[in-house]
Amino acid sequence: MAEGGGTDFPVGSRVMFTGPYGVFEDGAYSEWLAVRKENLCLIPEGVDDVSAAGIPVAYLTGQMALTLAGFQAGKTVLAPAIGGSIGNAVTQLARALGAKHAISSTTNPAKAEQARALGFNEVIDTSVEKLSDGVRRITAGYGADIVIDGIGGEVLSDALGALAMGGSLTTLGYSGGRKTTIDVTDLIWKHANVKSFVLFAQPPSAWTDAWNVIVRLLRSGAIKPIVAKTFPLTEAVDALRYLVEGRPFGRVVLTI
């Protein structure tokens, strides 16, 4: 923090942030950036800068989406794509907050093995097992109370088939495709529902509540962002190429 933060964010504070930068306004690929105070959060002691850079968008999105979906301890949560930002963040948050099952998936056997090595023991390898079949296996036939899907496409359709009675699916991304075909009986006979989520449409109180939960879990070590690789800012193009073509497990972070 260089200036202007007042008593909440004194000069010299280490901060993380997110907001409309790079979405509705100019992005953050720069050495200096003017950020609104309401978009800032102090970085807890013991959390390094690179790890902090992997927190804001994914974990804020995950925490708010879980809250809006009615998450409580003991619920079963499915968040596809364990190697991706949303899938990994939601899985970590659900597990840290007391989910009965915090399930994710991958299409890549190597990533499934990497996930297990990192302690994610409820990851479905969809190259050998259907997503809905894997969820039923893990939950002894029950299904998922909550699905947070950041992938879209066929994954959304498959995830609907994994819902438990009265379950809900929140869709918030479409990296796997903007269109899909669903079996409406997955909604009708399960009394299920589908809802959407946009981070920047949430009220300030939701941001504050989510930051509070995330910081508490960071301090305790219950959640930890996984960073696949860092690139200097001058190599931002290479970083984007690596993100798209390499499909890494974890975040890609630019450093100054």
Side-chain angles (χ1 to χ4, degrees), residues 30 119 135 140 146 152 161 167 172 182-183 186 215 222 224 236 247-249 251:
S30 62
V135 172
I146 295 171
L172 48 81
I182 69 170
D183 184 340
D186 288 330
V215 168
K224 181 177 175 59
R247 301 186 66 186
F249 191 117
R251 309 306 303 276

Side-chain angles (χ1 to χ4, degrees), residues 54-100:
I55 285 290
V57 176
Y59 285 81
L60 279 170
T61 296
Q63 180 57 35
M64 290 189 214
L66 283 170
T67 299
L68 289 173
F71 175 81
Q72 296 177 339
K75 295 279 190 179
T76 289
V77 175
L78 167 64
I82 191 63
S85 58
I86 297 298
N88 195 275
V90 172
T91 301
Q92 288 200 42
L93 287 164
R95 186 171 63 178
L97 294 169
K100 183 175 183 179

Side-chain angles (χ1 to χ4, degrees), residues 35-59:
V35 180
R36 298 175 187 84
K37 182 179 176 180
E38 59 266 25
N39 297 140
L40 294 171
C41 179
L42 292 170
I43 298 173
E45 290 296 326
V47 177
D48 63 86
D49 291 347
V50 171
S51 294
I55 285 290
V57 176
Y59 285 81

Side-chain angles (χ1 to χ4, degrees), residues 8 11 34 38 50 57 63 83 110 115 118 152 163 166 176 179 188 226 252:
D8 292 334
V11 173
E38 59 266 25
V50 171
V57 176
Q63 180 57 35
L118 290 168
L163 284 174
K179 296 181 180 181
I188 296 169
I226 296 170
V252 176

